Structure formats: C-alpha cells, structure tokens
Amino acid sequence: MGGSVSKGAVTLIVVDMQVGLDDPQYGERCNPNCEVNVRTLLHAWRKAGQPAFFTRHISLRHGSPLARGSAGTSIKPNVAPAEGEAIFDKSVNSALKNPCLRDAIFSIHPRAVVVVGMATDACVTATAREAKDFGYATVVVGEACATFDRLSPVGGFYSAAAVHDVALAALAASGIQICPLSEAVGLVER
C-alpha cells in the first residue's frame, strides 16, 4: 500500500494524549492547538462510525509523571475515549508493540491507519513507521501532533517547532503521508 489514502475503513490511533505530558519537566511544547485538532478528528471518526484507539505511555522511569499509578497517566479529558473505545498501555515508543492493539487493528483490516498525538518525534513516529512496515497506508496529521524542545547530544538546542517539522519531513521521506487536518477529516466523511 502507499500513495494517497482513499475513503473507506480508516483506523485512528490517538497516541499518548496524557495529562502528565503537561508537566514542566518536559519543557516547551509546540502546537498549542493539538488537542483541539485531535478532538476534531475524533468527532469526525465517531460521526462516521470509524474505529479509534487510544494509547497511554506507562513510563518505567522512577518519578516520571507517566509512571504507573500516577495521575499523569490519564488521558486528557477533552480528547478522552468515548464509551467502547479502547485504551492500550505501552512502555515503549511504538503503540503497535502492544499485541492487543495490533490484533485489534489487524481484525479490522483497515485500508489505512491515521496516527496523531504526542510526541511527534518519538511515539507518533515509531507508531507510524511500524504501521507502514505492516503494510498499511499510513497517515500522520501534523496539526494533531505536538512535541517538545530537545537538547542536542553535543550541547545544541532544537525548538519544539523545529523538532516537529523535521520529524514530519523524515516521515514523509519514508513514504508516510503527512496530511492536513481538513484532508484527514475528509477521509471519513460520508
């Protein structure tokens, strides 16, 4: 599969939209409209009866805002699952390492997988790349993703906006479709 995604069965994966990622230790974030845009996609998916899955990152790092049992693992209320929409926990970057999520998606046989959430350069990228590796036409909606400022291993600094843009460019270079919000909504509108 590849190229443009046509209308039909399209799975939405909402990656790690968790309360704990608002913790100041993560630094400055890009795309303050991320949650609003994720909510727009969720509304379109629900209206069209298309499947949406959610992930939560459960950190193994002691003291993390995303550590098991902490309030930070909760999905933000404004983008939380509706009744019947599943949440899958993970402790690695790719959501598709969770066999239950992978099986749930496989059972649907979607024509495409759309990935949104946080962080663009980490869990969103890993999930999108693995979805493509499984043979799905894969779409990332940049307007519905966000990330943080990053320090270079050699002492430099990269703004969240630059990290976000470079991550999206790298995904596009590998054959993953980067789609504007309006086009993504159009994938499921009837």
Side-chain angles (χ1 to χ4, degrees):
M1 294 180 152
S4 292
V5 178
S6 60
K7 292 183 180 182
V10 181
T11 298
L12 179 66
I13 303 175
V14 180
V15 177
D16 304 348
M17 293 298 297
Q18 294 167 257
V19 172
L21 289 173
D22 289 339
D23 191 284
Q25 74 175 268
Y26 291 105
E28 291 296 314
R29 187 188 111 174
C30 68
N31 193 7
N33 293 322
C34 178
E35 288 83 355
V36 169
N37 294 334
V38 170
R39 191 170 57 237
T40 297
L41 291 170
L42 285 168
H43 176 74
W45 255 251
R46 290 166 179 157
K47 184 177 176 186
Q50 296 289 314
F53 299 104
F54 296 76
T55 70
R56 293 187 312 171
H57 190 82
I58 305 300
S59 177
L60 302 177
R61 184 175 50 86
H62 179 72
S64 168
L66 303 178
R68 186 170 304 285
S70 72
T73 62
S74 298
I75 295 176
K76 295 179 179 187
N78 58 344
V79 292
E83 186 175 334
E85 293 174 337
I87 302 172
F88 298 88
D89 290 346
K90 63 185 188 57
S91 294
V92 296
N93 286 335
S94 174
L96 294 174
K97 296 289 187 214
N98 181 313
C100 295
L101 174 58
R102 193 171 56 243
D103 291 348
I105 292 170
F106 287 172
S107 72
I108 293 168
H109 303 292
R111 192 173 315 160
V113 173
V114 176
V115 183
V116 300
M118 295 184 67
T120 314
D121 57 321
C123 298
V124 168
T125 290
T127 301
R129 286 184 183 279
E130 192 158 359
K132 183 179 180 291
D133 288 347
F134 280 125
Y136 296 116
T138 304
V139 175
V140 172
V141 183
E143 294 166 85
C145 298
T147 194
F148 304 95
D149 292 343
R150 303 289 188 199
L151 294 176
S152 161
V154 294
F157 169 82
Y158 303 101
S159 72
V163 172
H164 177 77
D165 288 346
V166 169
L168 294 175
L171 289 170
S174 68
I176 293 168
Q177 185 179 352
I178 307 304
C179 186
L181 183 69
S182 59
E183 191 175 319
V185 167
L187 293 173
V188 296
E189 285 184 339
R190 295 178 194 228

